Amino acid sequence: MATYPPLAERPIKNTIVLFDVDGTLTPARLSVSPEMLNLLSRLREKVAIGFVGGSDLVKQQEQLGTPETNVTSLFDFCFSENGLTAYKLGEPLPSNSFIKWIGEDQYKELVRFILHYIADLEIPIKRGTFVEFRNGMINVSPIGRNASTQERLDYEKYDKEHGIRREFVERLRERFGHLGLTFSIGGQISFDVFPTGWDKTYCLKHLENEAKKPDGIEYSTIHFFGDKTMVGGNDYEIYEDPRTIGHSVTGPGDTIAELKALFDL
């Protein structure tokens, strides 16, 4: 297993590079390439690295890790569910929970509305898992997360033409806007629902806490790479945050090219 300089001894000081997963490190919902893993390993020799994704750690393990390699060993910081579940050098950091925040009664009302809405939707196909409950959010998919890769691609095109997710989100904002929720469209087939402020900027709280620890590092330079950086995309808030230097990419190949140029890899 590769070894890296301690965080305080990385050559480029006080710097961390954070990555979205889908569409940035990997093709959407597919596995990372050996080329990307090799580049990340070389980058880790110079700076701290981490990922921040909306999915849970199980999915990130499927996409970034292998049966022999735990994803938490490949990055210095792992921010699953936007940082609601977090790891530093393989050790867990404090976590939080959406269900504790919203309460069971309001959660049931929200899910009931969502499932009724999807039941009445006229779209070409529906598969399964329309609402996926996660620690820090729920993920809502009109077509269902069990769709195949081709079905996802077909639906993404259909959704761009007909604005299914956009209209869905507007209806939810009208009905549940008083709850302090954010509705964020990301990926090909779904959108996330989470407490306002629990977007990808949530992970920055962990980095700020690091600076307060004895011998902690203040990450004064935070690069973020993401593909959904437009308004309404799930990378937008952290991409635009004044604490980060945002890099908008079109896919893993673009990420590789930018990293090579930026860090002389």
Side-chain angles (χ1 to χ4, degrees):
M1 193 168 122
T3 57
Y4 301 93
L7 288 172
E9 296 174 20
R10 303 284 164 95
I12 304 175
K13 300 296 183 189
N14 304 101
T15 299
I16 185 168
V17 184
L18 298 176
F19 300 93
D20 164 56
V21 180
D22 273 0
T24 301
L25 292 180
T26 75
R29 292 303 304 129
L30 300 177
S31 297
V32 70
S33 69
E35 182 186 7
M36 180 68 81
L37 286 177
N38 181 268
L39 193 73
L40 290 173
S41 181
R42 295 188 342 249
L43 178 64
R44 198 175 175 188
E45 296 281 352
K46 297 187 174 190
V47 297
I49 68 169
F51 70 76
V52 50
S55 297
D56 60 27
L57 192 65
V58 172
K59 288 192 176 63
Q60 287 143 0
Q61 173 65 33
E62 290 172 2
Q63 288 181 263
L64 299 170
T66 67
E68 300 79 33
T69 309
N70 195 310
V71 67
T72 60
S73 71
L74 298 173
F75 296 82
D76 301 301
F77 291 90
C78 299
F79 298 124
S80 300
E81 300 176 77
N82 294 346
L84 273 293
T85 299
Y87 288 81
K88 174 192 174 186
L89 300 175
E91 296 298 319
L93 295 170
S95 65
N96 210 334
S97 160
F98 176 45
I99 200 73
K100 281 193 292 190
W101 183 89
I102 194 171
E104 195 66 53
D105 289 344
Q106 289 185 143
Y107 173 72
K108 286 192 292 188
E109 186 182 351
L110 174 65
V111 171
R112 189 159 52 238
F113 181 93
I114 287 168
L115 291 176
H116 276 294
Y117 188 94
I118 291 173
D120 293 337
L121 265 182
E122 287 293 338
I123 53 178
I125 62 167
K126 294 177 186 175
R127 290 300 177 249
T129 312
F130 302 104
V131 178
E132 183 175 84
F133 178 74
R134 300 175 183 172
N135 187 49
M137 67 177 73
I138 56 173
N139 179 267
V140 179
S141 176
I143 186 181
R145 295 192 63 85
N146 295 355
S148 69
T149 298
Q150 187 58 51
E151 287 167 344
R152 284 167 176 263
L153 291 168
D154 293 343
Y155 177 77
E156 183 178 28
K157 184 180 176 188
Y158 182 88
D159 191 82
K160 282 176 179 171
E161 292 172 4
H162 295 87
I164 302 297
R165 287 184 292 174
R166 188 173 66 247
E167 174 65 22
F168 199 164
V169 161
E170 285 307 310
R171 292 286 303 280
L172 285 167
R173 284 199 182 107
E174 290 169 13
R175 178 67 181 77
F176 297 98
H178 63 289
L179 293 182
L181 293 169
T182 291
F183 304 91
S184 181
I185 296 171
Q188 298 170 299
I189 62 167
S190 65
F191 60 89
D192 296 330
V193 183
F194 50 85
T196 299
W198 286 22
D199 50 55
K200 286 184 178 173
T201 62
Y202 189 94
C203 76
L204 302 179
K205 297 177 194 281
H206 290 293
L207 298 182
E208 289 171 346
N209 288 335
E210 283 301 304
K212 299 171 187 171
K213 294 177 181 177
D215 303 319
I217 298 169
E218 181 180 354
Y219 289 106
S220 51
T221 302
I222 303 170
H223 293 274
F224 172 76
F225 286 75
D227 69 314
K228 294 290 190 295
T229 57
M230 71 298 290
V231 174
N234 63 0
D235 296 324
Y236 174 75
E237 290 85 2
I238 190 169
Y239 174 76
E240 288 289 338
D241 194 284
R243 293 169 289 181
T244 70
I245 301 166
H247 305 267
S248 187
V249 296
T250 57
D254 196 19
T255 302
I256 287 170
E258 282 216 37
L259 287 174
K260 285 180 175 177
L262 191 60
F263 294 101
D264 192 27
L265 296 169

